[in-house]
Amino acid sequence: MQSALESFHEAYASGLAQPVAAFLSPIAPINASNRLYDFARASSDDKIEGDVRYALKYNKTTRMTNKECGAWVDIIVCYWRAVKEIIKADKAADQSRTGDRQYLAIYDAWKDLTSSFIKHISGGLLPAWAIFTLYFTANHLRKIAIKTDEQLAKSKPAVLNTGYSDDIASTTPQNQKLEEAARVFNRIFALCLGDRNQDMSESRKWGVYCIANLQFKTYFKLKAISLSKNVVRSIEAQPDLPSFELYPRAHRVTYRYYTGVLAFLQEDYAKAEQSLQGAWESCWSRSQQNKSLILTYLIPCRLITQHKVPTAGLLAEAPRLQRIFGPLVACIKRGDLTGFDKALADGEPEFVRRRIFLTLERSRDIALRNLLRKVYLAGGFDDLKEGQTEKDRIRKSRIPLAHFVAALRMGISGAGSGQALEDEEVECLLANQIYKGLMKGYISREHAMVVLNKKGAFPGTGV
């Protein structure tokens, strides 16, 4: 066991959370693929506790107090038992005998490991950095819980739905283990948020945001968005947290992303844009996956708050988003309402899955604005008066209503709505554009004329 724990001694001596978390991982490192098997063979059920205690107590590299040594013995023993279950599952998989029992055993063993960590950190027996080692351990619990629930869903038949529903049978997988894990994460969050250590360098409050992010990932998976709001409220109500900017960038970016998505789902687009913009600006430039996730919500936000479409350069940074948003954005720029409706319908499954469909549907107003702007530009300029030069030219601000009606009725090359709209319907659309600030002017029904503002008929477009 002494040799099996050599990597733990080195990790502990570094005084850093991640090396210790790497040792306490359910996945063997690439450069030591047999590490888990070697670790499991280093002892037996009846000797493991004594072997680990001896290896820690008489090692010269790790100098621990007796109490701390006892805490790590408990944790490493729990880890050893979890590793045994992982190896059993691997062997069963090799023989094509993998079942829900193996997954449940791994989940239960890893939950015991996480609970052991919580107990000893709560008792003040571990160094301050151990809270981040606990975070990595808890994140593994989340992944194991998801896999366990997936396996349970496969092995159990559909059950009769006793609710008042049109469905006779429910085949929706129950996230039982992930819900259990969420309760464990709540304990860790409370452990961090409730720390009363006056020495901030030793405070568990430094773990608040990474644990909150772990909860967000779990609640979003469970579709329990309201529980995520409770996490945000708890943090905002805490008066003595260190400044947000002092936390690691990775924690800040993830937290801002999730709070931005929460605000987005509540249709508070201004707040959502602020959070998502902060996440975007702090995100590591090479983290393509994270940038893509942020833009998935930031682009629809800007369509609503600023009436701006993303540039080709911005979409080029995320090829997946180019595929999703590209057709829609092209139609908005052209003012192609028919094409917009088709692109929205084609992308509906993806947009609904990402919870952005309703927001993108509202961006039809921008496509309409761009179509109306084309009519305005096609109207040309007023004639020059005596003494005026070309630089004094002003666009015609009085546009016959019939011009807008014709544009909206057109279906040529995908432009316009292609629908037989009544004049009153067109008037209503124009009035809504004016009300929403997308167009400045008024409608003269008496003269069947739209009178636009000479100093900026379409705010934000340069005309």
Side-chain angles (χ1 to χ4, degrees):
M1 182 54 73
Q2 189 68 262
S3 60
L5 289 179
E6 192 61 39
S7 55
F8 171 78
H9 297 313
E10 294 173 1
Y12 180 88
S14 71
L16 299 173
Q18 195 159 359
V20 177
F23 171 80
L24 298 171
S25 171
I27 304 169
I30 297 175
N31 59 351
S33 56
N34 290 325
R35 188 181 73 81
L36 295 184
Y37 285 87
D38 293 340
F39 182 64
R41 293 191 197 101
S43 188
S44 59
D45 285 309
D46 58 333
K47 295 181 179 178
I48 180 62
E49 186 171 344
D51 289 346
V52 173
R53 188 178 302 279
Y54 181 85
L56 293 185
K57 188 173 182 180
Y58 294 101
N59 185 274
K60 296 179 181 179
T61 307
T62 52
R63 297 178 180 178
M64 306 177 186
T65 64
N66 288 334
K67 288 185 178 181
E68 185 183 351
C69 180
W72 283 115
V73 168
D74 189 19
I75 289 168
I76 293 173
V77 168
C78 287
Y79 174 63
W80 182 84
R81 288 177 178 146
V83 168
K84 276 193 65 181
E85 298 301 335
I86 292 170
I87 291 173
K88 286 180 184 178
D90 287 345
K91 290 180 178 178
D94 291 340
Q95 299 172 11
S96 300
R97 294 188 298 103
T98 305
D100 52 5
R101 287 186 180 181
Q102 284 82 11
Y103 284 91
L104 283 169
I106 294 172
Y107 170 79
D108 289 337
W110 205 266
K111 183 181 175 184
D112 289 342
L113 170 62
T114 309
S115 298
S116 178
F117 250 120
I118 295 172
K119 178 179 72 173
H120 295 303
I121 290 177
S122 179
L125 301 180
L126 299 179
W129 50 259
I131 192 66
F132 296 106
T133 305
L134 173 56
Y135 160 74
F136 288 108
T137 304
N139 195 33
H140 286 308
L141 179 65
R142 178 181 67 87
K143 296 174 182 178
I144 291 170
I146 291 172
K147 288 184 178 179
T148 303
D149 285 331
E150 289 173 353
Q151 184 61 32
L152 290 172
K154 290 178 183 178
S155 62
K156 291 182 179 179
V159 296
L160 185 65
N161 189 341
T162 56
Y164 296 97
S165 170
D166 293 334
D167 297 329
I168 296 175
S170 172
T171 57
T172 304
Q174 300 298 313
N175 298 305
Q176 178 185 354
K177 296 306 174 184
L178 189 59
E179 289 174 358
E180 283 184 16
R183 290 191 284 273
V184 175
F185 305 154
N186 287 343
R187 291 169 57 198
I188 302 173
F189 183 67
L191 187 65
C192 293
L193 203 63
D195 188 17
R196 294 293 176 260
N197 193 332
Q198 296 299 315
D199 183 359
M200 196 52 65
S201 64
E202 297 290 323
S203 177
R204 295 191 295 268
K205 290 185 185 295
W206 291 108
V208 163
Y209 288 104
C210 66
I211 302 301
N213 295 334
L214 184 62
Q215 290 178 292
F216 289 147
K217 291 177 184 178
T218 305
Y219 292 146
F220 271 67
K221 177 71 175 177
L222 293 171
K223 296 180 173 58
I225 306 300
S226 60
L227 296 178
S228 295
K229 298 175 191 175
N230 294 338
V231 174
V232 176
R233 282 195 286 266
S234 296
I235 290 176
E236 291 177 347
Q238 194 72 15
D240 56 349
L241 285 177
S243 170
F244 184 70
E245 297 303 321
L246 296 177
Y247 284 83
R249 182 168 68 166
H251 300 183
R252 289 185 280 119
V253 169
T254 306
Y255 185 79
R256 279 177 170 150
Y257 164 74
Y258 276 108
T259 52
V261 174
L262 285 171
F264 181 92
L265 296 177
Q266 296 175 72
E267 299 185 1
D268 188 348
Y269 296 115
K271 184 177 179 181
E273 183 185 8
Q274 182 181 7
S275 295
L276 292 167
Q277 183 64 33
W280 172 257
E281 292 172 354
S282 300
C283 187
W284 189 41
S285 60
R286 294 185 181 180
S287 184
Q288 293 298 326
Q289 175 67 13
N290 290 347
K291 290 169 69 176
S292 179
L293 287 171
I294 294 167
L295 287 176
T296 298
Y297 296 94
L298 184 56
I299 287 172
C301 266
R302 285 180 175 168
L303 285 171
I304 300 300
T305 59
Q306 300 183 30
H307 307 136
K308 289 184 178 180
V309 294
T311 63
L314 184 64
L315 287 177
E317 293 192 41
R320 182 181 59 80
L321 294 186
Q322 172 66 49
R323 176 181 59 82
I324 296 173
F325 290 120
L328 205 65
V329 168
C331 293
I332 291 174
K333 287 180 178 179
R334 293 197 305 266
D336 180 359
L337 298 181
T338 303
F340 176 91
D341 293 338
K342 183 179 184 304
L344 190 67
D346 291 344
E348 183 174 353
E350 183 76 8
F351 297 147
V352 170
R353 188 174 71 83
R354 297 181 183 279
R355 305 183 184 94
I356 58 176
F357 178 81
L358 293 178
T359 306
L360 290 175
E361 191 177 36
R362 294 180 185 179
S363 65
R364 193 177 193 274
D365 284 337
I366 309 170
L368 175 59
R369 178 201 66 181
N370 290 343
L371 176 61
L372 301 178
R373 179 174 173 269
K374 283 185 176 183
V375 176
Y376 171 66
L377 294 176
F381 295 86
D382 288 329
D383 295 333
L384 290 174
K385 295 179 181 179
E386 186 177 352
Q388 288 184 324
T389 62
E390 287 296 324
K391 67 177 183 179
D392 298 318
R393 280 192 179 277
I394 299 175
R395 288 194 174 277
K396 290 182 179 179
S397 59
R398 297 170 64 85
I399 311 293
L401 179 64
H403 290 189
F404 292 109
V405 173
L408 283 163
R409 287 176 179 172
M410 270 197 320
I412 303 171
S413 300
S417 67
Q419 299 174 2
L421 298 175
E422 299 293 334
D423 290 1
E424 289 78 7
E425 291 179 273
V426 176
E427 283 184 27
C428 182
L429 290 172
L430 292 170
N432 279 331
Q433 289 277 301
I434 294 169
Y435 174 75
K436 293 174 181 178
L438 293 167
M439 184 170 77
K440 285 190 176 181
Y442 63 90
I443 301 170
S444 173
R445 300 196 69 188
E446 182 181 354
H447 299 94
M449 192 74 66
V450 179
V451 183
L452 297 172
N453 192 319
K454 292 184 178 182
K455 294 184 179 180
F458 294 89
T461 65
V463 296

